[in-house]
Amino acid sequence: DAMVIQNPRYQVTQFGKPVTLSCSQTLNHNVMYWYQQKSSQAPKLLFHYYDKDFNNEADTPDNFQSRRPNTSFCFLDIRSPGLGDAAMYLCATSRDASRYEQYFGPGTRLTVT
Amino acid sequence: AQTVTQSQPEMSVQEAETVTLSCTYDTSESDYYLFWYKQPPSRQMILVIRQEAYKQQNATENRFSVNFQKAAKSFSLKISDSQLGDAAMYFCAYPRYNNDMRFGAGTRLTVKP
């Protein structure tokens, strides 16, 4: 089945230790998104790629970076995780721009110790 | 501003009964989509139903239907014959022109047996 896959599902890192979360998709969608979701809150968009074009939200901290080496894969790098970065990180894809629904992966729960 | 408001943080329904979740939104656009997403506990977010603003007919997907009032900018979700598996967080969402999906704060639905 076509899907959005996130690895790992659970990640524990130490304060200040860089961590990378990965997302892959078999849907061949043009757009990939990274969201941060804290407990019982709505997802907050960090950035998205339209094909190779990177779009950063204005309030996304510099601590968060992303890479999309090809259509199928997208990575979220957190350079120096703080306790406040502990959250669920959701990857999503959409076929094209703006009006299309997004398909979500299961998420990676990040714990910072 | 394009915002989405869900005024019911929590709702409860008896199994087999009907429940309606409210959503209002603000936009200056005339042509747009609206979505309801479901996020069960510890599971991934999935699309429940989609409404195209230019269509006057309310969308329906099995037990799920919407009451779309474009002039009032209201987009409520009705769940008929509620089942235990319907228990989840429900997010109303508005996809903006620039690939930014705006989510409401969510409504946590509990289904009582």
Side-chain angles (χ1 to χ4, degrees):
Chain A
D1 286 341
M3 55 175 49
V4 182
I5 302 161
Q6 291 189 243
N7 286 305
R9 294 291 307 278
Y10 300 90
Q11 176 74 58
V12 180
T13 191
Q14 293 178 331
F15 183 94
K17 185 174 181 181
V19 65
T20 295
L21 311 182
S22 72
C23 176
S24 64
Q25 54 130 342
T26 61
L27 297 159
N28 203 31
H29 282 174
N30 286 324
V31 193
M32 295 187 77
Y33 308 81
W34 279 105
Y35 289 90
Q36 181 191 65
Q37 186 181 29
K38 297 195 174 180
S39 183
S40 298
Q41 295 182 19
K44 178 182 179 300
L45 183 65
L46 296 174
F47 24 59
H48 75 272
Y49 276 93
Y50 185 95
D51 196 12
K52 293 185 184 297
D53 293 333
F54 176 72
N55 297 270
N56 197 32
E57 290 299 294
D59 57 354
T60 297
D62 292 340
N63 198 25
F64 292 85
Q65 304 286 322
S66 184
R67 297 170 283 135
R68 189 179 185 187
N70 53 52
T71 301
S72 301
F73 285 86
C74 197
F75 299 98
L76 170 63
D77 301 309
I78 308 177
R79 292 192 296 185
S80 182
L83 297 179
D85 297 328
M88 177 74 83
Y89 289 88
L90 303 176
C91 175
T93 72
S94 66
R95 182 158 52 114
D96 212 318
S98 68
R99 305 304 187 188
Y100 293 89
E101 62 264 34
Q102 295 181 14
Y103 295 79
F104 286 82
T108 294
R109 182 166 297 282
L110 179 68
T111 300
V112 182
T113 60
Chain B
Q2 292 157 323
T3 59
V4 179
T5 302
Q6 294 178 248
S7 59
Q8 306 154 314
E10 296 185 359
M11 292 284 284
S12 178
V13 64
Q14 204 72 34
E15 196 175 5
E17 299 285 304
T18 295
V19 64
T20 298
L21 309 184
S22 301
C23 174
T24 59
Y25 60 95
D26 184 27
T27 183
S28 57
E29 297 179 312
S30 59
D31 184 22
Y32 50 89
Y33 284 58
L34 291 162
F35 304 117
W36 276 98
Y37 281 90
K38 170 185 177 181
Q39 188 176 37
S42 301
R43 295 180 63 185
Q44 71 195 82
M45 191 173 305
I46 59 171
L47 180 69
V48 175
I49 199 164
R50 170 201 306 112
Q51 175 75 45
E52 299 168 48
Y54 69 88
K55 289 186 176 180
Q56 293 191 352
Q57 188 172 9
N58 289 323
T60 299
E61 288 286 342
N62 300 314
R63 297 182 295 107
F64 297 86
S65 62
V66 300
N67 183 6
F68 174 52
Q69 303 287 331
K70 189 174 184 180
K73 296 181 181 173
S74 171
F75 181 59
S76 60
L77 175 69
K78 186 172 83 170
I79 307 174
S80 304
D81 185 25
S82 297
Q83 301 176 359
L84 295 178
D86 295 334
M89 281 289 284
Y90 286 83
F91 292 99
C92 178
Y94 174 96
R96 296 200 308 169
Y97 64 93
N98 61 347
N99 288 318
D100 180 7
M101 182 79 78
R102 287 292 162 124
F103 290 91
T107 297
R108 182 178 302 281
L109 179 66
T110 302
V111 181
K112 297 180 179 178

